[in-house]
Amino acid sequence: MNRKDTKTIYVRGVPIGGGHPIPVQSMTNTHTEDVEATLEQIRRLEEAGCQIVRLAVPHLLAARALKDIRRGTDMPLVADIHFDYKLALAAVEAGFDKIRINPGNIGSPQRVKAVADACRERGIPIRIGVNGGSLEKEILERYGWSAEGMCRSALRHAGMLEQCGFHDICISLKASDPALTVEANRRMSELCDYPLHVGVTEAGTTELGVLRSAAGIGSLLLDGIGDTIRVSLTDDPVEEVKAGIKLLKALNLRGGVHFVSCPSCGRTEYDLFGTARAVEQRLKDKNWDITVAVMGCVVNGPGEASHADYGIAGGKKEGVIFKKGVPVARVAVAELAEHLVALIESENS
């Protein structure tokens, strides 16, 4: 897919925008002032594959913990701040790598300039975040709860930074309604070249939240819009990371084994579900850029999965292993998963 050409910003060496790979983000839900608990959650997020972690900094007590958190991890860290520009300055001083703050909410132009100057001196980008449910009163009165209103709000905030000569900006436009999120980001992608952080806010608990996020984020990514993502879930933040990585893989925007399998039908004569789960589990953490197919029957399987690098299809007692749609071996169905994985490992390790 052709991706929208956007400006590149860097968060502790991680590029966002400019056609670079799309980083997956999450946010801690610990009390930031609890340094030990926060660092432990950051460690778990990093192990899960998270590339950028955001922390809430709601008050001075949290701000005082930022230096200790920064010393305790090499992960790219974002300070999430509302209203108090002094907290943003404290995060910059602590060595954080990105600031999330809306300039229109922190007071006088002098305060905006103080934050912009501090970030410029350290090479720290600023993320502007607009949620559909928290638009400014004057924006809301003129445009209502709309994509236009969200874009107007974001550009207003960005303009304040631009007046300070600051342009290392990332913009996020999120709503709990996937359709509104998509409309707002499509519109914004036509209005500026700043990289876009995309996600559906308040998406819900895991099952529904993943579906809402896939609908909203996936639609935008298929349009080539979106430079970094967060899947927002009412769950352990690690689950957000897992969902984000899976979404990128499903859209072929993240490397690794691409796994496909058929839904089964009345022609299926072997344990398709168990075999598919076994193959996927064995290969899920491999970094090989290959497609693996597990199909239900030998009648249509090889042809339907001819695009796959490797695949299997089963009968009642015997199944076939194929490469690029061409059969290469026949084995007992109980051994299909093991033989397939062995073949893949032998040719890719």
Side-chain angles (χ1 to χ4, degrees), residues 118-343:
C119 287
R120 184 189 303 105
E121 290 170 6
R122 299 285 189 97
I124 298 172
I126 294 175
R127 172 191 160 193
I128 293 168
V130 173
N131 286 348
S134 57
L135 296 175
E136 302 95 310
K137 181 179 178 181
E138 61 271 23
I139 296 285
L140 191 58
E141 289 176 347
R142 181 170 182 181
Y143 300 101
W145 305 107
S146 67
E148 180 68 18
M150 293 170 68
C151 291
R152 294 282 181 174
S153 176
L155 291 174
R156 172 174 170 265
H157 290 301
M160 294 178 185
L161 294 175
E162 291 166 349
Q163 288 175 7
C164 298
F166 189 91
H167 300 278
D168 284 340
I169 299 169
C170 180
I171 292 176
S172 69
L173 304 169
K174 298 183 180 182
S176 57
D177 178 0
L180 179 56
T181 299
V182 170
E183 182 184 356
N185 280 276
R186 284 175 175 166
R187 185 181 295 265
M188 181 58 71
S189 73
E190 297 175 351
L191 296 173
C192 73
D193 65 353
Y194 290 128
L196 298 180
H197 168 129
V198 298
V200 177
T201 192
E202 301 154 1
T205 54
T206 302
E207 184 175 2
L208 182 57
V210 168
L211 291 173
R212 280 193 179 127
S213 296
I217 299 172
S219 295
L220 289 167
L221 294 178
L222 287 172
D223 284 345
I225 298 169
D227 302 286
T228 182
I229 67 170
R230 179 193 176 190
V231 176
S232 299
L233 301 175
T234 309
D235 203 335
D236 186 330
V238 168
E239 296 304 316
E240 297 186 348
V241 177
K242 292 178 181 178
I245 291 172
K246 289 177 181 177
L247 177 56
L248 291 177
K249 283 188 174 182
L251 298 175
N252 294 321
L253 290 169
R254 178 66 68 94
V257 177
H258 182 60
F259 183 82
V260 296
S261 58
C262 80
S264 86
C265 69
R267 289 191 297 268
T268 305
E269 297 182 292
Y270 79 113
D271 182 13
L272 170 64
F273 297 165
T275 302
R277 284 192 293 266
V279 173
E280 185 176 31
Q281 184 66 26
R282 290 280 300 274
L283 298 175
K284 68 177 183 177
D285 295 325
K286 304 298 184 182
N287 292 321
W288 306 319
D289 287 326
I290 57 174
T291 298
V292 178
V294 176
M295 309 303 289
C297 70
V298 294
V299 175
N300 295 323
E304 290 177 348
S306 60
H307 65 283
D309 298 289
Y310 303 91
I312 53 177
K316 190 171 185 178
K317 295 183 179 180
E318 188 177 64
V320 61
I321 297 177
F322 50 88
K323 292 172 60 176
K324 299 290 186 180
V326 179
V328 295
R330 290 183 177 276
V331 299
V333 291
E335 301 174 357
L336 273 173
E338 189 64 36
H339 279 267
L340 175 65
V341 171
L343 173 64

Side-chain angles (χ1 to χ4, degrees), residues 11 16 25 77-79 96-100 124-125 127 170:
V11 184
I16 297 176
Q25 302 195 26
L77 300 178
V78 182
F96 269 52
D97 309 296
K98 186 180 178 186
I99 304 297
R100 190 276 196 192
I124 298 172
R127 172 191 160 193
C170 180

